[in-house]
Amino acid sequence: MVTTTDDADPAGNPPSRGSALEQLPPRDTTTLVRTVRDRLRLAIALAEIPEGKLNQVQVARQLGVSRMPIRAAIPDLVAEGLLESLPGGGVAVRPLTETDVRQVYDVRLALESRAVRNAAEHGSDWDLRRIQRIVDTHGEAFASYDAEKLLAADREFHMAILSASQNEHYQRAIVPVWSIVERAMVSVLHTTTVFDSAWQEHAEIADALQARDADAAEAAVRQHLGNAAEKLVTSLAATIEGVES
């Protein structure tokens, strides 16, 4: 998902984005359930659906679907830690905690530090050039991005590294925790210095991969994920404190 500054309006403002819960066009059942699940995941990450009991009737109405695809999508979102079952029935959007953030970043560190070494040592030249193109393309355009596009840019970069590792199980393994990652990231995406520094760290990782320097690539990933975890925990703690005060 790549958007250039041509999408900005004449005043230089970024393009507006509709809600993730806009009505869906008709489609076959299997695709519909998958799309509903993806929309709900994104809406929770963007805080368009608040914490607390999920109003399935309201969400179905917003999406223009029956409750069937909502019910079918819920188990996956429970498994990902975005929703939780309630004792009296139904599900709720699960509160995001500092422990959640630290734990998912521990998982990321274990997977991505090894994956980036594999990418440096065994990735194809095409894979490594693709990672560099992602850094260059998004680095030039992200000033015009909204939250959804910023998430997509970050996702594209990290998934490209996992893909370049030549071990398809790395990418499969990261999927269950990625929703928590993106939910946590939303709080800092529009802090310009945070995203600038994160993208500079992406560039350093890409440079190490281009040089096929596995030690430097792993060190850069460890620093990048460590920095991200601390910033996200700090941001989340400030948000929780603001709500409680």
Side-chain angles (χ1 to χ4, degrees), residues 126-186:
W126 184 91
D127 282 329
L128 302 190
R129 285 196 299 270
R130 177 184 172 223
I131 292 167
Q132 186 64 57
R133 284 196 301 271
I134 290 169
V135 169
D136 295 342
T137 300
H138 289 301
E140 294 171 358
F142 71 73
S144 68
Y145 286 179
D146 60 21
E148 183 177 347
K149 291 171 184 172
L150 290 172
L151 291 177
D154 184 76
R155 186 188 318 124
E156 185 179 11
F157 174 77
H158 286 282
M159 293 304 172
I161 291 175
L162 294 172
S163 177
S165 73
Q166 308 302 313
N167 184 335
E168 63 186 27
H169 296 287
Y170 283 130
Q171 195 160 351
R172 290 177 182 169
I174 204 72
V175 168
V177 303
W178 200 261
S179 298
I180 304 296
V181 171
E182 294 196 339
R183 190 178 179 195
M185 285 176 60
V186 165

Side-chain angles (χ1 to χ4, degrees), residues 88-126:
V91 293
V93 175
R94 189 171 171 271
L96 181 64
T97 68
E98 294 178 37
T99 299
D100 289 327
V101 175
R102 291 195 184 279
Q103 288 181 345
V104 297
Y105 270 81
D106 281 347
V107 172
R108 288 193 68 184
L109 188 60
L111 288 173
E112 295 188 54
S113 61
R114 184 61 202 172
V116 80
R117 289 195 70 89
N118 283 11
E121 294 170 350
H122 307 299
S124 70
D125 291 342
W126 184 91

Side-chain angles (χ1 to χ4, degrees), residues 6-227:
D6 291 340
D7 292 323
D9 65 23
N13 298 314
S16 60
R17 182 192 61 79
S19 167
L21 296 176
E22 288 179 340
Q23 287 205 1
L24 294 165
R27 59 191 68 199
D28 70 86
T29 302
T30 302
T31 303
L32 181 61
V33 170
R34 197 161 49 237
T35 304
V36 165
R37 181 198 61 205
D38 293 345
R39 288 288 192 91
L40 287 175
R41 183 187 291 122
L42 178 61
I44 293 170
L46 296 175
E48 292 180 0
I49 301 177
E51 293 179 5
K53 186 169 184 178
L54 181 70
N55 187 329
Q56 297 179 42
V57 173
Q58 180 180 347
V59 169
R61 186 181 304 118
Q62 287 177 275
L63 290 173
V65 299
S66 70
R67 287 183 62 190
M68 184 282 293
I70 305 292
R71 290 195 299 268
I74 282 173
D76 284 345
L77 300 180
V78 170
E80 292 174 18
L82 294 177
L83 299 176
E84 59 186 354
S85 299
L86 297 174
V91 293
V93 175
R94 189 171 171 271
L96 181 64
T97 68
E98 294 178 37
T99 299
D100 289 327
V101 175
R102 291 195 184 279
Q103 288 181 345
V104 297
Y105 270 81
D106 281 347
V107 172
R108 288 193 68 184
L109 188 60
L111 288 173
E112 295 188 54
S113 61
R114 184 61 202 172
V116 80
R117 289 195 70 89
N118 283 11
E121 294 170 350
H122 307 299
S124 70
D125 291 342
W126 184 91
D127 282 329
L128 302 190
R129 285 196 299 270
R130 177 184 172 223
I131 292 167
Q132 186 64 57
R133 284 196 301 271
I134 290 169
V135 169
D136 295 342
T137 300
H138 289 301
E140 294 171 358
F142 71 73
S144 68
Y145 286 179
D146 60 21
E148 183 177 347
K149 291 171 184 172
L150 290 172
L151 291 177
D154 184 76
R155 186 188 318 124
E156 185 179 11
F157 174 77
H158 286 282
M159 293 304 172
I161 291 175
L162 294 172
S163 177
S165 73
Q166 308 302 313
N167 184 335
E168 63 186 27
H169 296 287
Y170 283 130
Q171 195 160 351
R172 290 177 182 169
I174 204 72
V175 168
V177 303
W178 200 261
S179 298
I180 304 296
V181 171
E182 294 196 339
R183 190 178 179 195
M185 285 176 60
V186 165
S187 64
V188 300
L189 282 179
H190 287 300
T191 305
T192 304
T193 55
V194 170
F195 199 78
D196 282 348
S197 62
W199 209 256
Q200 178 56 43
E201 289 165 5
H202 284 186
E204 292 168 3
I205 295 167
D207 287 345
L209 286 171
Q210 288 294 310
R212 293 192 178 273
D213 187 334
D215 290 338
E218 180 179 351
V221 163
R222 287 184 175 277
Q223 180 178 14
H224 173 59
L225 295 180
N227 289 343

